[in-house]
Amino acid sequence: MRRTGNSIRIFILIAWPAFAFPELASAERLSGFSSGDTVTIRSAEAWEDEEAHIIHFGGNFELRASDWYLSADLATLYGKLDDPETVVLTGTPAFILVNTEYHGNIQTVTGEAERIVYFRDTNTLRMEGAASLTRDENTMYGGEIEYDIGEDRIRAGGDEGVRIKVMPEN
C-alpha cells in the first residue's frame, strides 16, 4: 500500500544469496548477480502493491551490484524482494549497465530507453521508446530493442527503423 503525505526516504542494503539467474545462459558469460552479491537499492520512496510480492519505487531509483547498475525515475520489482522475477524501469531515460564476460574478456553493455523490462527467467532485456544499446563502443538505436544477455543476441525495430553506429577497430 502506498503512503500518502510525506514520502518515505529509503536506503536498502540486501545480500541476495538467492538471486542467481537460470542456467540458460552460456557458461562462458557472466549472466547476472552471483550468489554472494550485495545489492544496494536507493529511491526517494517505496511502497508495496496491494497484490503480493510487488514493490514500487519512485524518485531517483538506483540498483547497484558488482556487475549491474540500474537507474530510473520509477521502478517496479515483481516477485519477492530477495528473489525478483521481473524488474520494470521507466524514466527519461531509464538506464542499465551490465558487465559481462565473454571468452575471458569483460564487456560493458549499456542501454537507455523510456521503459526497460528485465526478465529473469530468460535473462533478457526489452527496451521500448527511444531505445539504445551500446557494447564495445558500437551502438544500436531503435524504437524497441530486445537483448538476450546470456546469449549476447539482439533484435531491434520500431516505426523509425534501426540505426547502427559501428566504431572501427584500431
Side-chain angles (χ1 to χ4, degrees):
M1 184 171 288
R2 183 176 185 173
R3 289 219 170 169
T4 57
N6 295 335
S7 65
I8 304 169
R9 295 223 172 258
I10 66 164
F11 180 83
I12 303 173
L13 181 63
I14 304 170
W16 279 352
F19 201 164
F21 294 107
E23 296 177 7
L24 297 174
S26 168
E28 296 177 338
R29 296 187 59 79
L30 177 65
S31 61
F33 297 106
S34 68
S35 61
D37 253 354
T38 297
V39 175
T40 304
I41 298 174
R42 297 182 99 159
S43 187
E45 61 181 343
W47 63 96
E48 290 181 304
D49 198 273
E50 292 181 12
E51 285 188 44
H53 305 299
I54 299 174
I55 188 164
H56 303 277
F57 296 91
N60 301 317
F61 171 83
E62 288 186 346
L63 182 149
R64 293 179 187 269
S66 62
D67 293 309
W68 287 76
Y69 174 76
L70 309 174
S71 173
D73 297 331
L74 302 170
T76 302
L77 277 70
Y78 294 87
K80 296 179 181 177
L81 186 59
D82 65 343
D83 193 22
E85 299 163 9
T86 303
V87 179
V88 178
L89 307 169
T90 56
T92 51
F95 177 82
I96 185 166
L97 177 145
V98 181
N99 289 320
T100 64
E101 184 176 337
Y102 189 65
H103 295 293
N105 297 316
I106 299 295
Q107 296 184 125
T108 298
V109 177
T110 60
E112 292 186 359
E114 294 170 7
R115 183 172 190 260
I116 300 174
V117 182
Y118 172 70
F119 300 98
R120 181 176 166 205
D121 63 339
T122 58
N123 199 23
T124 58
L125 295 173
R126 178 165 177 78
M127 300 183 294
E128 303 167 340
S132 68
L133 186 77
T134 302
R135 183 187 64 218
D136 296 332
E137 299 183 30
N138 301 311
T139 305
M140 179 174 286
Y141 304 90
E144 58 184 51
I145 297 174
E146 291 182 8
Y147 178 59
D148 184 321
I149 297 167
E151 296 296 325
D152 194 30
R153 302 196 53 85
I154 191 168
R155 185 194 70 74
D159 293 339
E160 301 294 317
V162 175
R163 187 169 46 107
I164 301 172
K165 181 174 107 179
V166 178
M167 299 299 288
E169 292 186 28
N170 294 331

